[in-house]
Amino acid sequence: MGGHDYVGDVRGEGLVIAVEFIADRETRRPFEASANAHRIVSAKALELDLMVRPLPFIEVIPFSPPLCITEAECDEAVDLFARALDRATPELSKLARAS
């Protein structure tokens, strides 16, 4: 997921991580503030029954699952999030060109 065209950074420690979205990886140019790219990805994740919470003021989706989560559940969540990101890519591409 970290190599995706619109993922600028994946950071964190242990189970607490965050995915940051940017319009251009080479220049690190952010999306326009009104683009809400992270909310588009969040909506696509919800369509796949994965609930994530986009932050209110920056293009970041953090993950902080319960400590009782299993490795299999983590793998499933990552797979679903990657699928959501793939589904959101056409919309993110349009937003990146407009930014």
Side-chain angles (χ1 to χ4, degrees), residues 13-74:
E13 189 171 326
L15 290 176
V16 180
I17 61 169
V19 178
E20 174 188 32
F21 298 93
I22 56 173
D24 187 297
R25 284 179 63 95
E26 286 185 31
T27 64
R28 305 256 333 136
R29 178 174 51 87
F31 282 101
E32 293 291 326
S34 62
N36 289 313
H38 64 319
R39 294 186 191 285
I40 292 168
V41 176
S42 176
K44 298 297 182 185
L46 193 56
E47 290 173 6
L48 297 168
D49 295 327
L50 177 66
M51 187 184 309
V52 295
R53 55 182 174 87
L55 292 180
F57 301 111
I58 56 176
E59 297 287 326
V60 171
I61 294 178
F63 293 84
S64 52
L67 294 177
C68 61
I69 194 168
T70 66
E71 186 174 346
E73 290 169 330
C74 286

Side-chain angles (χ1 to χ4, degrees), residues 77-97:
V78 169
D79 289 344
L80 288 172
F81 190 75
R83 286 177 47 202
L85 188 53
D86 287 342
R87 288 183 178 194
T89 296
E91 289 178 66
L92 297 179
S93 296
K94 289 178 188 176
L95 291 174
R97 285 191 299 272

